Amino acid sequence: MTALHPLDNPLRRYDWGSATRIPSLLGTAADGRPVAELWLGAHPSAPSRAGGVPLDELVRSAPDAMLGRRVSDRFGPRLPFLLKVLAADRALSLQVHPRPHLARAGYNRENRLGLAPGAPERSFHDDQHKPEMVVALTEFDGLAGFRTPRTVLDLLAGLDGPLVAQMRAALEADRSPAGVRTAFTHLLAARSSQECPDAVAATVEAVRHRLRSGSPSARADATVLALADQHPGDPGALASLLLNRVTLDPGEALFLPPGEVHAYLSGLAVEVMASSDNVLRAGLTTKRIDTAALLECASFVPRPPAVPERSTSGAQQGVHTYRAPVTEFALTLADVGVTAGADLPDSGPRVVLCLAGQVELHAAAVPRPTPLSRGSSVFVPHDAGALRVSGEGHVVCAWVP
């Protein structure tokens, strides 16, 4: 019989995470350790479990029923998206995700080298690209994509030190994406120099002086200082001057295509992405840094951060759907009142998480509603049919457009 499958979801305890935000969402006691991410999906490295069965195994057991023929034909017997709750108290690594052909090439290359799955020497953990979209639940800060060379040169004015001099020379000589790449590469290469910590410290001190003196770029300067405090001597703090600084209010969204250099800084958000764990890091981390792979995969075209398409529906305009220019995922957030339910996507695989309140999910092919309270979640298979939520609360639904 068709059923909705309650999920038990893995936690990821990275050092940049919040000790309280995800435990509060789940209604569990905080233990003092950081909880960075809650994963809801079927990535083989950390799948959710449905009735004790890993979700990737459940999907493979009956792909047409679980995914629907449309999704199964397009992506094979696998859930194509991964939903996360992300809670950052400190900056994430400066990073990029590969495009499809580069993900396949990197994964196959590391397999030929005999690197075991999960090995710390690995940069490519699967053969999938990883576009991602984030929707803020609280004020959410980040860096995303490169500023124009002209803007960067304005930010560098009045600063000194060898690293700034190299960036300035690269951008003055070439204001195309090639010049941006050269400036960024100089910073990454500096990491291998014994003089790097002192060079970073000299520029950070110049930024600190400028901020105290009434900086015309106070937000950019404050970002440099915050990152330098978190990662002393790391040139990634200075790389923030090259990148667009972003603040999202609750409900606002950001799309990160493959190749976009970015770093989330702080806040609570839901995030949906292609089901991949490929992260190529450039700095602001104690994890593996693979400069060559990152430079191969990154885009250096200056552009403003990408904002996904957003539409609003429902009787009280309480259903917000976010779509990015990808085929793997879309996201719907619904605020449900006592007197008005809301329709959710009606086909394909869906993952629903209750963020607040008490709601019930009504699936056309399931005789009884499924209750959800804050922090609980379900996998909704394709053969459950049309889906509606009622009650009073706030839910997020990841689905395949």
Side-chain angles (χ1 to χ4, degrees):
M1 183 174 68
T2 300
L4 275 56
H5 302 276
L7 294 177
D8 181 18
N9 304 301
L11 299 173
R12 310 299 265 184
R13 294 184 177 272
Y14 308 132
D15 60 3
W16 48 262
S18 165
T20 59
R21 284 173 163 162
I22 289 177
S24 177
L25 169 67
L26 298 176
T28 59
D31 61 8
R33 294 182 295 162
V35 184
E37 296 175 347
L38 176 72
W39 285 27
L40 303 94
H43 193 277
S45 69
S48 300
R49 302 182 75 86
V53 178
L55 187 55
D56 54 337
E57 292 183 15
L58 179 65
V59 168
R60 285 197 302 270
S61 71
D64 284 356
M66 295 293 114
L67 304 174
R69 182 65 59 85
R70 174 182 67 90
V71 175
S72 181
D73 285 351
R74 183 186 301 171
F75 298 105
R78 54 184 292 272
L79 186 65
F81 63 78
L82 174 61
L83 178 66
K84 295 182 182 181
V85 179
L86 184 150
D89 274 359
R90 302 171 70 239
L92 282 67
S93 57
L94 194 63
Q95 61 188 259
V96 74
H97 308 306
R99 296 173 180 83
H101 68 290
L102 293 172
R104 290 190 296 270
Y107 183 67
N108 292 335
R109 180 172 62 248
E110 293 183 347
N111 285 344
R112 289 195 302 271
L113 292 173
L115 298 181
E121 301 84 7
R122 265 194 178 271
S123 294
F124 296 87
H125 297 278
D126 52 62
D127 63 356
Q128 298 296 312
H129 73 156
K130 192 185 175 185
E132 62 188 35
M133 179 169 62
V134 62
V135 180
L137 299 178
T138 65
E139 185 177 280
F140 191 82
D141 288 293
L143 302 165
F146 286 97
R147 290 175 160 125
T148 65
R150 179 177 179 178
T151 299
V152 176
L153 288 168
D154 287 343
L155 292 175
L156 297 180
L159 300 180
D160 52 24
L163 297 180
V164 166
Q166 288 179 325
M167 286 194 289
R168 183 182 291 117
L171 295 174
E172 287 176 342
D174 185 350
R175 300 199 180 191
S176 75
V180 176
R181 178 189 175 98
T182 300
F184 190 66
T185 303
H186 281 316
L187 282 178
L188 301 191
R191 184 182 301 279
S192 61
S193 167
Q194 290 184 346
E195 292 77 27
C196 182
D198 289 340
V200 171
T203 301
V204 168
E205 190 55 37
V207 170
R208 193 184 314 276
H209 176 75
R210 182 168 72 179
L211 187 60
R212 288 172 177 167
S213 303
S215 173
S217 50
R219 192 177 188 220
D221 289 351
T223 301
V224 171
L225 298 183
L227 295 177
D229 286 345
Q230 293 174 18
H231 298 275
D234 192 320
L238 305 184
S240 67
L241 295 170
L242 294 167
L243 299 168
N244 296 303
R245 181 67 163 79
V246 179
T247 297
L248 303 179
D249 290 328
E252 293 183 333
L254 182 66
F255 172 60
L256 284 307
E260 192 90 322
V261 177
H262 64 282
Y264 300 140
L265 302 179
S266 66
L268 181 68
V270 290
E271 186 181 25
V272 64
M273 62 198 65
S275 187
S276 171
D277 196 26
N278 285 327
V279 182
L280 306 171
R281 299 177 178 88
L284 305 179
T285 184
T286 57
K287 295 182 179 179
R288 171 173 168 76
I289 290 176
D290 190 338
T291 300
L294 181 137
L295 291 174
E296 179 186 26
C297 294
S299 168
F300 295 94
V301 177
R303 58 191 169 205
V307 178
E309 175 188 336
R310 178 179 177 178
S311 60
T312 302
S313 60
Q316 299 177 348
Q317 298 293 292
V319 181
H320 307 279
T321 295
Y322 303 82
R323 295 174 183 260
V326 295
T327 58
E328 287 91 347
F329 58 77
L331 203 64
T332 296
L333 271 70
D335 290 306
V336 188
V338 173
T339 59
D343 293 322
L344 296 178
D346 60 5
S347 65
R350 290 146 287 177
V351 171
V352 179
L353 167 67
C354 182
L355 297 169
Q358 301 271 346
V359 300
E360 290 186 332
L361 293 180
H362 307 261
V366 179
R368 295 181 179 177
T370 299
L372 290 181
S373 57
R374 184 186 66 181
S376 58
S377 58
V378 295
F379 173 71
V380 182
H382 169 76
D383 66 0
L387 191 63
R388 185 170 177 80
V389 58
S390 64
E392 186 171 14
H394 188 198
V395 302
V396 59
C397 177
W399 53 285
V400 182

